Amino acid sequence: MTTDNKVENKLFLGMEVRVVNEEWIVLKDMFNALGRVKEDGTWTNEKNKLNKFLEIINGKDLHQTLMGVVKRGQTESVDCLKLETVPIVLTQFMPTARKGDVALNHWKKFMIFINDLLTSLEVHKFIITDKEVQKDETKRLVEADGKPLLFNS
């Protein structure tokens, strides 16, 4: 990628993070705000957890290394996460206690929002189904020779 990336400072859980080209968050900044980077600035195993999670949600392309990100007048390459992925990732990583109440309170408000949203959309129906309905649908699928097109007719 070119070195012409636009870097802006934004707030994430009350802490400053860098956003690149209005579409990527610098991953280490995000994880630092969550208290999931070591005191010396090196990674914990959280980055591996993130990569596994992104694989699960088919989101490998949502994590990239961008070149030319400027910090303190220097150009460096940094791992970044697509901004629209931040909310689902945030559900998996609660801020640690060492980040204090500000980050935790922001996270709690966000999780309450997510819970209210999922509840209003009745998302529980996606993961919990009636056993009898499931039996009937399985029977219909068997009768359709396991062919979804016949099953859905």
Side-chain angles (χ1 to χ4, degrees), residues 34-96:
L34 292 167
R36 296 183 179 265
V37 174
K38 293 179 184 176
E39 298 271 338
D40 65 4
T42 58
W43 282 104
T44 62
N45 66 345
E46 301 298 327
K47 188 174 174 185
N48 293 333
K49 288 181 187 177
L50 171 69
N51 288 332
K52 287 178 185 176
F53 180 70
L54 291 176
E55 278 183 39
I56 291 168
I57 64 168
N58 296 322
K60 282 187 163 189
D61 59 332
L62 302 172
H63 174 237
Q64 285 189 9
T65 299
L66 298 178
M67 304 295 293
V69 176
V70 178
K71 182 178 181 181
R72 293 183 216 115
Q74 296 178 342
T75 301
E76 57 183 27
S77 63
V78 291
D79 289 321
C80 295
L81 183 68
K82 199 79 158 156
L83 283 179
E84 68 249 20
T85 309
V86 172
I88 190 70
V89 169
L90 188 56
T91 65
Q92 305 298 306
F93 296 95
M94 180 177 166
T96 62

Side-chain angles (χ1 to χ4, degrees), residues 12 49 97 136:
F12 172 73
K49 288 181 187 177
D136 291 343

Side-chain angles (χ1 to χ4, degrees), residues 68-134:
V69 176
V70 178
K71 182 178 181 181
R72 293 183 216 115
Q74 296 178 342
T75 301
E76 57 183 27
S77 63
V78 291
D79 289 321
C80 295
L81 183 68
K82 199 79 158 156
L83 283 179
E84 68 249 20
T85 309
V86 172
I88 190 70
V89 169
L90 188 56
T91 65
Q92 305 298 306
F93 296 95
M94 180 177 166
T96 62
R98 70 181 167 105
K99 280 300 167 185
D101 290 337
V102 173
L104 192 56
N105 287 337
H106 280 285
W107 184 82
K108 285 178 182 177
K109 286 178 188 174
F110 172 72
M111 293 306 293
I112 290 168
F113 166 75
I114 292 297
N115 185 55
D116 291 346
L117 181 64
L118 295 174
T119 301
S120 71
L121 295 172
E122 298 182 329
V123 174
H124 63 279
K125 291 179 180 179
F126 180 77
I127 57 174
I128 300 171
T129 58
D130 184 288
K131 189 174 180 179
E132 290 304 313
V133 170
Q134 186 178 9

